[in-house]
Amino acid sequence: MSIYSELWSPKPLEIPQRSRLFCLEPIAVGSPYTESLSSYVNRLAQAHCLTSQKLVMGEIAPLILKDEDKSELLSKNLSHLLGNSDAKPAINGMREMTGKLVTVLEELTMRQNLRFLTLLSWKGMIHDQGLFRNYRAWCPCCWEEWKQKKKTIYEPLLWSFKDVEVCLIHKQRLVEVCPHCGSSLPVMARISPPGFCSRCYRWLGQGMIGEEEIEKYRVNIQGISELIALVPQLKYAPIPIELTRKLQLISSVFEQAMGQDLNFLGELWEILESLKIASIRNQNQPLHLVKLIIPVCEKAKISISQLFLLNFQELGNTLFENLGLKLTL
């Protein structure tokens, strides 16, 4: 075979697999400011020059509601897929629809990390009742700062939580109502441009105005932040029975501490009672993040990451050291 015939011989081209939608990278995954799934959907719609409603009902809904006619779905609003609540806060949580949205979006974008934009990894572990806000909330100073620095405008998952009332960075209270039109803004709307009101479409960022007292909010916000950032580090999905065993260990250590030093009595007694109820009587029930898990970690002087990442022996020895007990497992 001559060099010419070798060079010109037709060979099938190896074309990499293409995604149906842009393989848009989510923002800040693995950090406390991980992007929320609702924000990702809104940015994905913007990248395709579509409204959020057109993207969801035209591309996502047909793969979930397979028995319904695609052309009819296009004429329906988001509530047909996400529910009748105007807020649709569950999109960022751990419910069945959240899982379906993540599965379909990962298929359409060919990304494998979109579950990190939700609390799906904590399904069955953490009680989701009342965990999320009913409407959007935002730090106007964060958005203004990102705009000035030409960073991507998005909504962190952290802002979705009802117990996150302030921004620890700017010491500002999160805003829940558009300052221009006075509207409460749904988590998902027909048009939801990041950083703008979904009703009057005006910019929602602004500079700092005074400072809020944030210390009383710090423990809860830092605990929630850790939980969000922790998910990509987990080697496997958290197991409820493993968490129950760790909480029982913490309960035993608290009892040891109170037995050796009565000064711990007033500090640990109330949380110990809640801990016993959760770890012994209600073993199969999801646990309340803000009312139980975060306060227990605070009293035990451990982080959320230590609670879930340390093995049983490492956790025990850390607890003994933190509470000044000369014991080992």
Side-chain angles (χ1 to χ4, degrees):
M1 181 184 290
S2 70
I3 186 172
Y4 297 106
S5 59
E6 183 178 347
L7 288 173
W8 289 98
S9 60
K11 294 181 180 178
L13 294 175
E14 295 184 3
I15 301 175
Q17 187 179 0
R18 299 292 195 252
S19 60
R20 169 72 177 173
L21 300 178
F22 294 146
C23 187
L24 188 67
E25 183 177 0
I27 299 171
V29 172
S31 80
Y33 276 74
T34 297
E35 183 172 18
S36 66
L37 183 65
S38 56
S39 171
Y40 183 81
V41 171
N42 290 331
R43 286 201 307 116
L44 190 61
Q46 189 177 49
H48 284 274
C49 299
L50 294 171
T51 65
S52 299
Q53 181 169 303
K54 289 290 185 185
L55 177 75
V56 172
M57 301 311 294
E59 295 292 335
I60 298 173
L63 297 180
I64 296 176
L65 306 175
K66 296 181 180 180
D67 296 333
E68 298 193 32
D69 185 81
K70 184 175 180 178
S71 60
E72 291 184 5
L73 284 174
L74 272 171
S75 65
K76 295 180 179 179
N77 60 34
L78 290 167
S79 295
H80 184 71
L81 177 68
L82 301 178
N84 292 324
S85 168
D86 187 41
K88 308 172 185 69
I91 187 174
N92 297 318
M94 56 188 89
R95 298 184 183 176
E96 183 180 358
M97 181 53 70
T98 306
K100 290 179 179 179
L101 286 168
V102 166
T103 299
V104 168
L105 274 170
E106 288 186 340
E107 178 185 335
L108 291 171
T109 62
M110 294 179 62
R111 298 209 68 90
Q112 300 301 314
N113 59 350
L114 299 187
R115 69 182 293 108
F116 300 155
L117 313 187
T118 71
L119 287 196
L120 277 174
S121 297
W122 304 106
K123 188 173 183 178
M125 303 277 288
I126 291 174
H127 192 55
D128 69 341
Q129 191 74 26
L131 192 61
F132 290 100
R133 283 187 165 85
N134 290 330
Y135 295 92
R136 290 167 65 190
W138 60 91
C139 172
C141 298
C142 282
W143 276 348
E144 188 64 33
E145 182 179 307
W146 296 345
K147 181 182 179 183
Q148 296 299 325
K149 294 182 178 179
K150 301 187 184 306
K151 293 184 177 181
T152 303
I153 307 299
Y154 74 104
E155 294 184 41
L157 179 59
L158 183 66
W159 293 350
S160 299
F161 287 81
K162 189 177 291 184
D163 289 283
V164 177
E165 299 183 49
V166 298
C167 171
L168 296 184
I169 296 174
H170 296 103
K171 298 181 179 179
Q172 300 286 302
R173 182 169 289 277
L174 297 190
V175 177
E176 299 179 272
V177 175
C178 173
H180 308 294
C181 67
S183 299
S184 295
L185 307 180
V187 175
M188 292 294 297
R190 178 179 172 275
I191 300 176
S192 298
F196 291 85
C197 176
S198 57
R199 299 283 169 84
C200 69
Y201 309 119
R202 296 177 68 178
W203 172 243
L204 297 173
Q206 67 177 34
M208 289 181 61
I209 304 175
E211 290 187 355
E212 285 281 330
E213 175 53 53
I214 63 170
E215 288 309 311
K216 62 181 178 181
Y217 305 106
R218 186 179 296 278
V219 172
N220 284 341
I221 295 175
Q222 288 181 339
I224 294 170
S225 298
E226 275 192 64
L227 190 83
I228 292 170
L230 172 64
V231 178
Q233 302 176 47
L234 297 172
K235 296 179 181 178
Y236 53 84
I239 304 171
I241 189 61
E242 184 176 322
L243 177 58
T244 297
R245 288 184 66 237
K246 288 181 176 180
L247 292 179
Q248 289 171 346
L249 170 63
I250 294 173
S251 180
S252 298
V253 173
F254 281 176
E255 288 179 339
Q256 290 280 346
M258 289 189 293
Q260 293 190 22
D261 187 346
L262 291 178
N263 289 327
F264 282 115
L265 187 61
E267 184 180 349
L268 299 178
W269 178 255
E270 186 175 346
I271 194 68
L272 179 60
E273 288 301 301
S274 300
L275 190 54
K276 283 184 175 180
I277 293 171
S279 62
I280 299 174
R281 300 183 200 171
N282 300 328
Q283 290 189 23
N284 298 322
Q285 299 299 317
L287 302 174
H288 201 291
L289 176 62
V290 174
K291 292 182 180 178
L292 184 72
I293 295 178
I294 291 176
V296 164
C297 287
E298 182 192 15
K299 296 297 184 184
K301 302 177 183 178
I302 59 173
S303 65
I304 295 286
S305 298
Q306 286 176 310
L307 176 64
F308 288 100
L309 295 181
L310 295 181
N311 63 39
F312 198 75
Q313 183 170 354
E314 290 171 338
L315 179 61
N317 291 333
T318 299
L319 292 169
F320 294 146
E321 182 179 346
N322 289 350
L323 297 178
L325 302 175
K326 298 186 183 301
L327 300 169
T328 58
L329 283 180

